[in-house]
């Protein structure tokens, strides 16, 4: 929460997390608390997993390990191009 509050400027902040239960819970709470404090914050959960077959129904097990770095790059490029918080979040998703 402290980092979100410290870095979030007027355009807002995108929090990108991996699909782990603890990360979803803790970062989700931090995002909600930041929103309650008046900050514009979006959360993107990365849930790909190259270790699982693409036809697998085990979505809960998809951890977002390999793809997270690419999501950061896409979101950063979108923000650098001047897209809005909603547009950056959508590009990241």
């Amino acid at each position: 929460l402290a980092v979100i509050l410290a870095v979030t400027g007027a355009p807002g902040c995108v929090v990108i997390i991996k699909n782990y239960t603890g990360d979803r819970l803790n970062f989700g709470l931090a995002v909600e608390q930041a929103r309650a404090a008046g900050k514009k914050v979006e959360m993107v959960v990365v849930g790909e997993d190259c270790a699982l077959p693409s036809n697998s129904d085990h979505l809960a097990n998809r951890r977002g390990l390999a793809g997270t770095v690419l999501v950061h790059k896409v979101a950063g490029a979108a923000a650098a191009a001047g897209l809005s918080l909603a547009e950056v979040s959508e590009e990241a998703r």
Side-chain angles (χ1 to χ4, degrees):
L1 175 62
V3 172
I4 295 172
L5 295 176
V7 303
T8 302
C13 176
V14 177
V15 177
I16 301 170
I17 64 168
K18 295 173 186 73
N19 189 29
Y20 284 97
T21 303
D23 287 0
R24 291 181 71 130
L25 176 66
N26 291 310
F27 286 106
L29 288 171
V31 166
E32 290 302 319
Q33 291 173 343
R35 287 178 181 156
K39 299 293 184 180
K40 293 191 298 187
V41 184
E42 291 288 331
M43 184 171 77
V44 174
V45 179
V46 181
E48 61 69 45
D49 197 332
C50 61
L52 296 175
S54 61
N55 61 353
S56 174
D57 290 332
H58 297 85
L59 294 177
N61 295 332
R62 295 185 184 278
R63 301 162 293 184
L65 298 175
T68 303
V69 68
L70 301 175
V71 174
H72 282 273
K73 297 291 276 182
V74 167
L83 274 61
S84 70
L85 177 61
E87 292 168 323
V88 171
S89 299
E90 187 57 35
E91 290 292 323
R93 287 187 183 97

